[in-house]
Amino acid sequence: MTTEEDGNWDLAKLSIGQREVTVQKGPLFRAEGYPVSIGCNVTGHQGPSEQHFQWSIYLPTAPEQEVQIVSTKDGSFSYALYTRRVRSREIYVERVQGNSVFLHISKLKMADAGEYECHTPNTDGKYFGSYSAKTNLTVIPDTLSAIMSSQTLNKEEGEPLELICEAFKATAQHTHLSVTWYVIQEGGRSQATKIISLSRDFMLIPGPSYTERFIAGEVRLDKLGVTTFRLSIGRLKPSDQGQLFCEAIEWIQDPDETWTFITKKQTDQTTLKVQPEVRDFQVTMTAESTFAEGKPLELVCLVVGSGRDPQLQGTWFFNDIEIASIDAGGVLGLKKDYKERMSQGQLQVSKLSAKAFSLKIFSVGPEDEGTYKCVVAEVERAQMGSWQVLQRKQSPDSHVQLRKPAARSVGLSTKNKQQAVWEGEALTLLCKAGGDESPLSVSWWHFPLDQTQPEFVAGMGRDGTMQLSPSYGGTSNYGNIRLEKVDWATFQLDITSTAITDSGTYECRVSEKTQNQARDLSWTQKILVTVKPLESSLQVSLMSRQPQVKLTDTFDLSCIVSADYSDLKVPLTVTWQFQPARSQVFYQLIQITHNGTIEWGNFLSQFQKKTKVSQSPFRSQLLIHDATEEESGVYQCKVEVYDRNSLQTNSPVKATIVSHPLRIAITLPKSKLNVNSSSQIQEISINSNTEIECSILSRSTGNLQLVIIWYFSPITTSATWLKILEMDQTNVIKYGDEFHTPKRKQKFHTEKVSQDLFQLHILNVDAGDQGRYHCTVEEWLLLTNGTWHKLGGKKSGPTELKLNPTGNKVCVSKVAWTGNATEHGEVAIHCSLESSGSSTSLFSVMWYWNSSESSESKMLVHLQHDGLLEYGEEGLRKHLHCYRSSPTDFVLKLHRVEMKDAGKYWCTVAEWQLLENPSKWVMQATDKSEELVLKVLPSEPTFPSRICSSAPLLYFLFICPFVMFTLLLISFLCLYWKTRKLSILSLNALNKKALWVDLKGAAERKEEEEEEEVN
């Protein structure tokens, strides 16, 4: 297109008119939850003056997809996402003019962020110009915060006020902050009144009703920091009363350089109540009605009420005559007589405060008796500089009279009201005289217990001179007594450290000199004081939380002193003593003296290095680490009590006590050693290397050392376990007797892999190394005397080491066999080879048995390649025998078969060959037979066996002969008894018969003799 054509096009464009849609320039930043308004305008259009507008959004998640929001033309224009918000007028379009509108969103959401498009439908004859415009809206979080504590303040008119408002934001964009203080008048219905604000341009702008006070400096707003704003009102007025709060507004500058607020926050309200100033006041006077001659007199005139900081002047009257005045400026005015007394220091007139006036006469005389009053006037400065009286008030009259002399009374008491003190405790006696003030003298006397004559203690004259008795209390009480005059009527006697001899009655004598009497007047008072000995309530106890202490553990000893005077904090000396086991003597371990020094004993050499001492006023504690057996014994503590001043006076011990003995037993700790006890099997090739592990699962704590011992039991013999080597507590290796050769030492060595894992290395394993291995772990403790003590030991599980066969040259017959055997008979079980093998080979066989009632197998006998027999149990030697009946047949023979021998039998055959270098037999191959089943049948019973098998018959055969023998014996005894009885009866009958014959013969002889005499 030529230049001329371009000019023609421009003219046509101007003549026809070009449509142009403009929208508010972006990007716009607005806060979540706040409104936004976006303007849109169209120019250069044809058709009706009222144009239609359609608003859409392109969301960040789908920037190419248009989402329709609202239209002025079509009510159904909105997508479902915005339909509800459009219907609720949360989103709407405000028409400003026919060609200009605003899109309003009342409450922004984070999802409202995106690119907004304003589109105007075409009303022109043809499309010419732009029909839409876009702007970006970013929704940011609301980070503005305004804080002021809610409170209620009661103030008086004229008092100052300060309130603090904390306002802060965390917006990433550049924003400004404005802060405004408002007050809502009483009732809360009126609109908030602006007090003062700090604008976004950092300008201070007062409210209309506070402008004059702002100019006068009474109303201020200060920014104390980044976030702190302070409102200050110098003098409050009743109109300031109400609800005060602070409002913070965050502003942002849009790309069109206009400022728009994006967030707004208000603080909690503070209730302010202002009490109007009271200007009326009353005047009172304070003074005693009677005074002693020569004593001071002070009259104070007080103003009650009035306003804040009033201007007052006071005037004093004596018997209705003005004697002194002070104006509001502090200028003093005195009459002639009182001016002279003031110049002589006898009188003082002053203003104590803004509402208090004082008249003081230092020495009252008879001329001062009368009626006093004061007059107070509130004034203000007139234009000419003079004081103008606003109001005047007068105090009531005060009558002053001199006090008449009267008799005195004397009171005597202790300072703490306690008449019993502890030995060494301070004793303070107060003697107070009553009556009018006058120069007095005092003397103190002491009546010791069981004595009637007093002892002079101390005295003080009227002029203050003091006299102390040199003989009171002896030289030990030198400097122990102090006499003090507290005031004109009170005298104090201090005994800084009491002794038992200070008990008794104390007397205070107060004397007064009078002009009209020749002798001084005196008054006395007595009090009984008791000094209690420290030893009377002293107790000590010794305790320990661990009387049973394990070796190397820590134990504590506590010596606890208790007394009724624990609050006195008297110095103590604590001596710890120790009696070792099997001894009758106590030795000193440590002494903590009352002056803080520590003296260690030398009985236990290591005691000081491992003992921590803790000392408090009535408690001493020893914390003993790493307990050893030499600390086992009896402990006790000895406590010596001193008085509180012992450090200055070097006074002796006041009380001594020894605790009960406490026995501490040091026991050895229990071992917690645990070693892996599981059994293992290793199968390796000949001439290879291997490691046997010894794993520690748990061990005891403390400074313990381990001893590791390795053992070996050959598989070919029934020998006991052989000691291979031992690694002692100091890691020194010692080999066993059978392994002490250089060859054995090269083959076996041990290694400590970790704290809990040890290995036995075996180099160049051969057939002689086959067997079972295990380790024994022992824990040892090194005692302080240098000796080792064994705590415990554990044995690991066995590890069986086997050699893998080098070939498969042996083949055992796999024919199953089931045989029967008769009980008590014999049976032979055969294990056959398929071939006899090489002529250079030897064979070994092992027989196994498994009971039909159990799943566990048992090795019965091992016929070794060299012909030796090894039985699984020694008792089987008489019951069975194994031999080789032919080159291919091995026989297991059972003698006297029993029923329990029934079960499954099998054999394992191994082939051995002799190696040339080195020369030794090596197992080449093994094979196992099928299971051979043996059944045991009961044998035919014989007569003896039937007898033995029948328990009742057996009992009958044993018991019947015994019963028969017993019956025969009883019959024989009965027969013998009856025979003996019959023989005795026969003998008795013969004896009677012989006696009767003798008597008869005598009688016949007598008759014959008589007949002879007659003849």
Side-chain angles (χ1 to χ4, degrees):
M1 184 179 290
T2 63
T3 305
E4 182 177 357
E5 289 175 340
D6 289 342
N8 293 336
W9 169 256
D10 293 338
L11 292 174
K13 179 179 178 180
L14 291 173
S15 61
I16 298 174
Q18 180 177 352
R19 175 185 289 266
E20 182 177 8
V21 177
T22 59
V23 72
Q24 187 172 348
K25 187 177 180 181
L28 303 177
F29 293 91
R30 297 295 184 267
E32 180 184 10
Y34 288 85
V36 64
S37 298
I38 304 176
C40 183
N41 184 52
V42 59
T43 58
H45 61 85
Q46 298 179 3
S49 60
E50 185 174 286
Q51 294 289 303
H52 286 288
F53 295 83
Q54 296 176 345
W55 288 90
S56 303
I57 185 173
Y58 296 86
L59 299 175
T61 56
E64 301 298 329
Q65 181 180 355
E66 177 186 5
V67 179
Q68 298 176 359
I69 301 176
V70 64
S71 171
T72 60
K73 180 179 180 181
D74 184 4
S76 62
F77 178 78
S78 303
Y79 278 9
L81 181 64
Y82 292 95
T83 301
R84 183 186 59 80
R85 297 174 69 185
V86 171
R87 289 178 180 176
S88 64
R89 297 287 292 175
E90 182 182 340
I91 300 177
Y92 65 95
V93 178
E94 177 190 4
R95 184 179 295 278
V96 182
Q97 295 178 355
N99 64 338
S100 179
V101 296
F102 277 101
L103 171 65
H104 295 289
I105 302 179
S106 303
K107 190 174 182 180
L108 276 175
K109 300 179 180 179
M110 296 299 292
D112 292 332
E115 186 178 35
Y116 285 78
E117 181 184 42
C118 175
H119 177 75
T120 58
N122 184 23
T123 58
D124 307 331
K126 59 181 179 180
Y127 286 93
F128 185 58
S130 65
Y131 291 86
S132 66
K134 296 181 179 179
T135 187
N136 277 311
L137 173 65
T138 301
V139 180
I140 60 178
D142 177 12
T143 62
L144 180 62
S145 177
I147 300 173
M148 181 181 69
S149 58
S150 178
Q151 55 184 328
T152 299
L153 301 177
N154 294 305
K155 298 284 187 178
E156 293 185 1
E157 182 181 357
E159 285 187 336
L161 173 69
E162 286 188 356
L163 294 176
I164 299 294
C165 174
E166 296 284 343
F168 49 89
K169 58 185 178 65
T171 308
Q173 289 71 29
H174 176 71
T175 59
H176 284 194
L177 201 65
S178 65
V179 176
T180 307
W181 289 89
Y182 292 94
V183 59
I184 301 176
Q185 302 297 334
E186 191 70 26
R189 298 179 180 178
S190 61
Q191 189 176 1
T193 302
K194 177 180 176 182
I195 301 175
I196 189 171
S197 67
L198 178 64
S199 69
R200 64 173 183 267
D201 301 323
F202 310 107
M203 300 288 292
L204 287 175
I205 305 172
S209 58
Y210 287 86
T211 303
E212 293 183 1
R213 297 168 70 183
F214 171 75
I215 296 174
E218 289 189 6
V219 177
R220 297 179 55 187
L221 195 158
D222 299 311
K223 186 176 182 181
L224 303 181
V226 179
T227 63
T228 305
F229 301 86
R230 180 180 66 191
L231 170 67
S232 302
I233 301 178
R235 294 175 60 87
L236 287 172
K237 294 184 177 181
S239 59
D240 297 326
Q241 181 169 287
Q243 309 292 325
L244 281 74
F245 65 92
C246 164
E247 181 182 76
I249 302 178
E250 187 177 7
W251 300 79
I252 194 168
Q253 191 174 28
D254 290 335
D256 60 1
E257 298 185 354
T258 61
W259 287 91
T260 305
F261 93 89
I262 58 174
T263 57
K264 180 191 297 184
K265 291 291 172 63
Q266 291 182 355
T267 65
D268 294 335
Q269 296 180 354
T270 291
T271 302
L272 175 64
K273 297 181 180 180
V274 181
Q275 182 68 32
E277 190 175 27
V278 178
R279 297 195 174 276
D280 192 17
F281 64 89
Q282 301 294 327
V283 180
T284 62
M285 184 185 296
T286 60
E288 294 186 16
S289 59
T290 57
F291 288 86
E293 184 178 356
K295 300 302 177 183
L297 167 66
E298 183 177 16
L299 302 172
V300 179
C301 187
L302 296 175
V303 177
V304 181
S306 182
R308 184 175 180 83
D309 298 332
Q311 301 289 329
L312 301 176
Q313 67 179 17
T315 305
W316 291 96
F317 291 87
F318 174 61
N319 293 333
D320 294 330
I321 299 175
E322 181 180 344
I323 58 174
S325 65
I326 298 179
D327 66 9
V331 179
L332 179 63
L334 293 170
K335 297 303 178 182
K336 182 178 180 180
D337 295 342
Y338 289 88
K339 186 180 295 186
E340 293 179 359
R341 296 181 65 178
M342 185 173 184
S343 63
Q344 296 174 1
Q346 300 178 3
L347 181 71
Q348 181 182 5
V349 180
S350 61
K351 190 174 184 180
L352 302 178
S353 66
K355 297 182 180 182
F357 300 88
S358 170
L359 170 64
K360 189 171 185 179
I361 302 173
F362 292 99
S363 181
V364 178
E367 66 276 9
D368 296 318
E369 285 189 304
T371 302
Y372 292 83
K373 67 180 178 181
C374 69
V375 176
V376 178
E378 182 180 5
V379 297
E380 65 178 2
R381 183 76 72 176
Q383 295 182 354
M384 301 302 295
S386 61
W387 294 105
Q388 180 180 356
V389 177
L390 299 178
Q391 57 178 330
R392 192 190 307 270
K393 294 295 177 68
Q394 175 180 309
S395 72
D397 293 343
S398 178
H399 302 281
V400 174
Q401 295 178 349
L402 292 179
R403 188 179 294 118
K404 304 291 183 182
R408 297 187 182 276
S409 61
V410 175
L412 181 57
S413 64
T414 59
K415 191 173 184 179
N416 57 2
K417 307 302 180 184
Q418 299 292 331
Q419 294 182 222
V421 295
W422 289 101
E423 181 182 6
E425 188 178 1
L427 173 64
T428 300
L429 299 175
L430 294 175
C431 183
K432 185 174 181 65
D436 298 333
E437 183 176 349
S438 178
L440 301 175
S441 63
V442 66
S443 61
W444 291 89
W445 299 82
H446 176 220
F447 293 83
L449 293 176
D450 302 330
Q451 291 188 21
T452 57
Q453 293 297 324
E455 297 177 355
F456 176 72
V457 179
M460 179 181 289
R462 286 185 292 272
D463 56 355
T465 59
M466 188 167 56
Q467 182 183 5
L468 298 177
S469 172
S471 60
Y472 175 73
T475 58
S476 62
N477 270 4
Y478 178 74
N480 194 31
I481 297 178
R482 185 173 64 246
L483 184 59
E484 180 183 356
K485 186 176 183 179
V486 180
D487 54 38
W488 73 269
T490 306
F491 301 89
Q492 179 173 312
L493 175 66
D494 291 320
I495 302 177
T496 57
S497 180
T498 57
I500 301 298
T501 56
D502 293 329
S503 296
T505 301
Y506 287 83
E507 180 183 82
C508 170
R509 298 178 184 176
V510 178
S511 300
E512 179 181 6
K513 186 176 180 62
T514 59
Q515 299 178 353
N516 301 329
Q517 298 182 8
R519 298 181 59 185
D520 293 349
L521 297 177
S522 63
W523 300 267
T524 64
Q525 189 59 268
K526 296 180 180 180
I527 188 172
L528 178 63
V529 174
T530 302
V531 180
K532 299 180 289 185
L534 295 177
E535 196 169 7
S536 61
S537 70
L538 182 62
Q539 294 181 349
V540 64
S541 60
L542 179 60
M543 61 180 61
S544 174
R545 288 178 293 182
Q546 300 167 287
Q548 296 289 336
V549 184
K550 292 183 180 179
L551 197 67
T552 72
D553 278 1
T554 299
F555 68 97
D556 66 301
L557 296 171
S558 297
C559 183
I560 302 173
V561 183
S562 60
D564 295 341
Y565 47 83
S566 57
D567 56 335
L568 296 182
K569 297 181 181 180
V570 294
L572 303 177
T573 292
V574 179
T575 304
W576 287 92
Q577 297 174 337
F578 172 66
Q579 182 187 73
R582 296 177 298 278
S583 174
Q584 301 298 323
V585 181
F586 277 93
Y587 298 91
Q588 178 178 317
L589 293 178
I590 181 177
Q591 184 180 66
I592 305 100
T593 63
H594 65 287
N595 57 11
T597 60
I598 297 179
E599 300 176 3
W600 292 89
N602 54 9
F603 180 71
L604 298 179
S605 58
Q606 303 295 324
F607 192 76
Q608 180 177 354
K609 297 179 181 179
K610 62 179 183 177
T611 302
K612 180 181 178 181
V613 182
S614 300
Q615 189 81 2
S616 60
F618 278 82
R619 184 187 184 98
S620 179
Q621 185 176 33
L622 300 183
L623 191 63
I624 304 167
H625 301 273
D626 193 19
T628 61
E629 290 181 328
E630 65 179 0
E631 278 118 32
S632 180
V634 177
Y635 293 80
Q636 69 180 19
C637 64
K638 176 183 176 183
V639 179
E640 297 172 323
V641 183
Y642 295 78
D643 63 44
R644 294 187 302 170
N645 301 316
S646 60
L647 297 179
Q648 292 79 21
T649 61
N650 294 323
S651 61
V653 176
K654 298 297 182 182
T656 303
I657 190 171
V658 179
S659 73
H660 63 277
L662 176 63
R663 181 174 298 278
I664 297 295
I666 309 297
T667 60
L668 295 176
K670 293 183 179 179
S671 176
K672 298 180 181 178
L673 182 65
N674 191 13
V675 181
N676 185 4
S677 60
S678 60
S679 301
Q680 299 181 14
I681 297 177
Q682 288 191 20
E683 294 185 358
I684 61 174
S685 301
I686 191 169
N687 294 327
S688 62
N689 300 333
T690 188
E691 297 86 21
I692 310 294
E693 291 189 348
C694 180
S695 177
I696 300 175
L697 303 180
S698 64
R699 57 194 300 182
S700 305
T701 58
N703 187 19
L704 302 176
Q705 302 299 326
L706 298 180
V707 172
I708 309 297
I709 307 174
W710 289 95
Y711 291 94
F712 167 63
S713 176
I715 198 170
T716 58
T717 67
S718 59
T720 58
W721 289 92
L722 304 177
K723 178 179 177 181
I724 304 175
L725 59 85
E726 172 185 343
M727 184 171 67
D728 66 7
Q729 304 93 327
T730 59
N731 296 328
V732 175
I733 306 298
K734 300 177 182 178
Y735 283 85
D737 296 337
E738 291 81 1
F739 294 83
H740 212 273
T741 62
K743 182 179 179 181
R744 288 287 194 172
K745 289 183 178 179
Q746 292 178 0
K747 176 181 283 288
F748 296 95
H749 70 274
T750 186
E751 178 188 3
K752 182 179 181 181
V753 181
S754 66
Q755 289 293 109
D756 299 323
L757 180 62
F758 296 84
Q759 288 182 346
L760 176 67
H761 293 269
I762 308 175
L763 307 180
N764 298 321
V765 177
D766 54 27
D769 299 328
Q770 293 186 103
R772 291 179 296 168
Y773 294 81
H774 80 262
C775 72
T776 298
V777 182
E778 298 174 351
E779 287 183 327
W780 290 78
L781 175 66
L782 181 62
L783 304 180
T784 55
N785 57 8
T787 61
W788 288 95
H789 181 83
K790 180 180 176 182
L791 291 185
K794 289 289 184 178
K795 184 176 73 172
S796 70
T799 298
E800 184 176 354
L801 184 61
K802 296 181 178 180
L803 290 179
N804 291 325
T806 58
N808 190 14
K809 297 181 180 181
V810 62
C811 183
V812 180
S813 174
K814 305 296 183 181
V815 177
W817 177 85
T818 301
N820 296 326
T822 303
E823 186 183 8
H824 307 304
E826 292 184 351
V827 67
I829 304 174
H830 295 267
C831 177
S832 301
L833 297 176
E834 296 290 342
S835 64
S836 60
S838 173
S839 61
T840 61
S841 297
L842 295 180
F843 295 91
S844 66
V845 63
M846 296 182 70
W847 285 96
Y848 296 90
W849 168 72
N850 185 7
S851 172
S852 58
E853 299 178 355
S854 174
S855 60
E856 294 184 1
S857 61
K858 178 180 179 181
M859 197 277 286
L860 300 177
V861 63
H862 179 198
L863 176 60
Q864 302 178 14
H865 66 280
D866 55 2
L868 295 177
L869 279 177
E870 180 185 3
Y871 289 90
E873 295 179 2
E874 190 62 27
L876 297 176
R877 187 179 298 273
K878 297 180 180 181
H879 185 58
L880 53 85
H881 179 62
C882 177
Y883 59 95
R884 187 176 183 181
S885 62
S886 68
T888 61
D889 194 21
F890 297 91
V891 179
L892 174 66
K893 191 171 186 180
L894 303 181
H895 305 291
R896 292 192 57 79
V897 177
E898 298 178 2
M899 297 298 294
K900 63 180 181 180
D901 293 332
K904 298 176 181 178
Y905 293 79
W906 69 92
C907 68
T908 300
V909 180
E911 182 181 2
W912 298 75
Q913 287 186 350
L914 181 64
L915 296 181
E916 294 181 357
N917 188 21
S919 179
K920 58 183 176 180
W921 288 93
V922 178
M923 182 176 63
Q924 296 295 320
T926 61
D927 195 12
K928 176 184 174 183
S929 70
E930 288 292 328
E931 293 181 346
L932 311 174
V933 180
L934 176 64
K935 297 181 180 179
V936 179
L937 302 178
S939 60
E940 286 295 330
T942 61
F943 180 74
S945 64
R946 290 180 179 178
I947 293 175
C948 293
S949 62
S950 176
L953 183 59
L954 186 64
Y955 291 153
F956 175 78
L957 292 178
F958 274 100
I959 296 173
C960 184
F962 177 75
V963 173
M964 294 297 293
F965 176 76
T966 303
L967 293 176
L968 289 174
L969 180 61
I970 293 173
S971 301
F972 176 75
L973 291 176
C974 290
L975 182 60
Y976 173 76
W977 178 77
K978 288 182 178 182
T979 305
R980 182 177 178 80
K981 187 176 182 183
L982 291 175
S983 62
I984 292 173
L985 292 176
S986 299
L987 183 59
N988 290 336
L990 292 175
N991 290 336
K992 289 180 179 180
K993 184 177 182 180
L995 180 60
W996 180 79
V997 171
D998 290 341
L999 291 175
K1000 183 179 180 181
E1004 290 177 352
R1005 283 194 302 266
K1006 187 175 181 182
E1007 288 179 356
E1008 290 179 355
E1009 289 177 358
E1010 289 178 354
E1011 287 179 357
E1012 289 179 357
E1013 290 177 359
V1014 173
N1015 294 325

